Amino acid sequence: MLEPGNQTVRLRKLRKSETVRRLVKETRLDPSCLVAPIFVTHGNKVVEPVSAMPGVNRYSVDQLGSYVSRLSETGISAVLLFGIPDTKDDLGSQAYAGDGVVPRAISEIKSAVPSMLVVADVCLCEYTSHGHCGIVRNGQVDNDETLPLLSRAAVEYARAGADIVAPSAMMDFQVAAVRSALEEARLDETLIMGYSAKFASSFYGPFREAAGSTPSFGDRRGYQLGTGNTREAMREIEKDAEEGVDIVMVKPALSYLDVIAEARSRFDLPVAAYSVSGEYSMIKAAGANGWLDEKRAAMEVLTSIKRAGADIIITYFAEQAAQWLSE
Ligand code: PBG
């Protein structure tokens, strides 16, 4: 029988003091891996709180310069833009209008903080009257009719100065379509971040309130992945890689950490994870009620996403987390 005193490996030594704990820390977060999503709305002088996402606002273009400068001061170096147009139609035409909210937001941000990396979400759901991510024919989203519109949007955003375009409609061939449209427009330096493994999730609820993009009929299960399907998610990533994607994404993050880990081990592409609106609101609500410690819960979740293998984390906690990291 081994007496406790005969044991030589005392694992607790590694947790002895803050200095030792810091020295042996395996997973490190730093602001350079965080991307802050921004909702850009039409109008002027608008800073409008999103009620389901305390601390998150919709900004009109004129307000972005000061907001992005503030983000940059905290150490955030990348933002992801979503547009909320003043008019919606069946074809989502404001998504690819040259003077739409997103192209204007991109130029505004680039002139305020030139070094800020701008990622533009490429989808139709915020711009269509029916709220689906593509063109609807006979009650179904038509894949191939949607592709040219996504491509036009991507080209408009790249032309306005976006560094990265991020097709998120979950249409087949969307990366290939965007890639060739960019090449044709001689915008070959623009990166593509594919929302490759995007699951049909209840955690998008608060975002749909923020962006006014709830489908008016049906749901997105005809194009987004089913929760239990990891292998199918890997096929989506593989397909995007073949089509020339630069960065792949898994979304949501918290309920899909195993999918992030699997993507990390199978592919050599940079992996982004999108910690979505519901993941944020859940922690904010519990924190506001005093049920858990908001800061510790948020940092624990972000660390777990990093530990699972994400290189890049898109999170509504970005600004706060950057501040917490510098404390
Ligand atoms: C658009 C899109 C969605 C999100 C990002 N891009 C919503 C959806 O599919 O309904 C959700 C992000 C979030 O919940 O934070 N296709």
Side-chain angles (χ1 to χ4, degrees), residues 14 34 41 61 97 108 116-117 123 131 175 192 203 207 228 251 268 290 302 318:
L14 290 171
L34 304 176
T41 190
V61 171
E108 184 74 17
M116 183 62 71
L117 200 72
C123 195
V175 170
I192 302 179
F203 290 101
F207 173 95
K251 175 185 170 193
D268 291 330
L302 294 177

Side-chain angles (χ1 to χ4, degrees), residues 94-238:
Q94 282 301 309
Y96 38 90
D99 60 351
V101 281
V102 169
R104 287 194 288 119
I106 296 166
S107 354
E108 184 74 17
I109 293 170
K110 282 291 182 185
S111 64
V113 184
S115 62
M116 183 62 71
L117 200 72
V118 177
V119 190
D121 182 87
V122 176
C123 195
L124 299 187
C125 65
E126 301 109 87
Y127 305 92
T128 50
S129 36
H130 45 70
H132 276 288
C133 301
I135 298 306
V136 173
R137 291 276 174 243
N138 309 318
Q140 299 282 337
V141 175
D142 189 291
N143 193 88
D144 295 6
E145 267 194 70
T146 303
L147 297 176
L149 306 184
L150 296 174
S151 304
R152 275 174 68 182
V155 167
E156 288 301 339
Y157 306 159
R159 212 167 256 153
D163 302 280
I164 305 182
V165 289
S168 75
M170 284 302 280
M171 294 299 119
D172 284 332
F173 318 120
Q174 61 181 11
V175 170
V178 165
R179 174 100 274 161
S180 67
L182 289 173
E183 295 281 339
E184 228 164 86
R186 295 178 167 269
L187 295 160
D188 41 70
E189 305 228 311
T190 310
L191 287 99
I192 302 179
M193 175 159 79
Y195 281 68
S196 312
K198 180 174 178 182
F199 290 86
S201 171
S202 63
F203 290 101
Y204 304 151
F207 173 95
R208 292 181 187 171
E209 186 230 288
S213 61
T214 308
S216 58
F217 65 91
D219 54 41
R220 303 207 204 290
R221 287 180 296 176
Y223 37 105
Q224 298 180 349
L225 290 162
T227 296
N229 287 11
T230 313
R231 290 194 300 270
E232 195 181 345
M234 294 306 119
R235 294 187 70 200
E236 286 282 358
I237 294 176
E238 195 171 11

Side-chain angles (χ1 to χ4, degrees), residues 295-318:
K295 173 180 167 184
R296 289 190 55 201
M299 294 310 268
E300 186 173 336
V301 166
L302 294 177
T303 304
S304 72
I305 297 169
K306 195 86 199 293
R307 188 195 64 226
D311 305 294
I312 301 160
I313 308 175
I314 302 162
T315 170
Y316 300 94
F317 279 112

Side-chain angles (χ1 to χ4, degrees), residues 253-324:
L254 189 52
S255 339
Y256 300 87
L257 293 176
D258 56 323
V259 180
I260 297 171
E262 185 78 11
R264 171 72 297 146
S265 74
R266 288 217 210 173
F267 301 95
D268 291 330
L269 288 150
V271 174
Y274 194 148
S275 185
V276 301
S277 55
E279 299 175 39
Y280 172 83
S281 299
M282 208 157 58
I283 293 175
K284 288 301 261 192
N289 272 295
W291 295 336
L292 48 73
D293 178 327
E294 179 187 324
K295 173 180 167 184
R296 289 190 55 201
M299 294 310 268
E300 186 173 336
V301 166
L302 294 177
T303 304
S304 72
I305 297 169
K306 195 86 199 293
R307 188 195 64 226
D311 305 294
I312 301 160
I313 308 175
I314 302 162
T315 170
Y316 300 94
F317 279 112
E319 183 181 5
Q320 272 259 259
Q323 273 155 2
W324 288 331

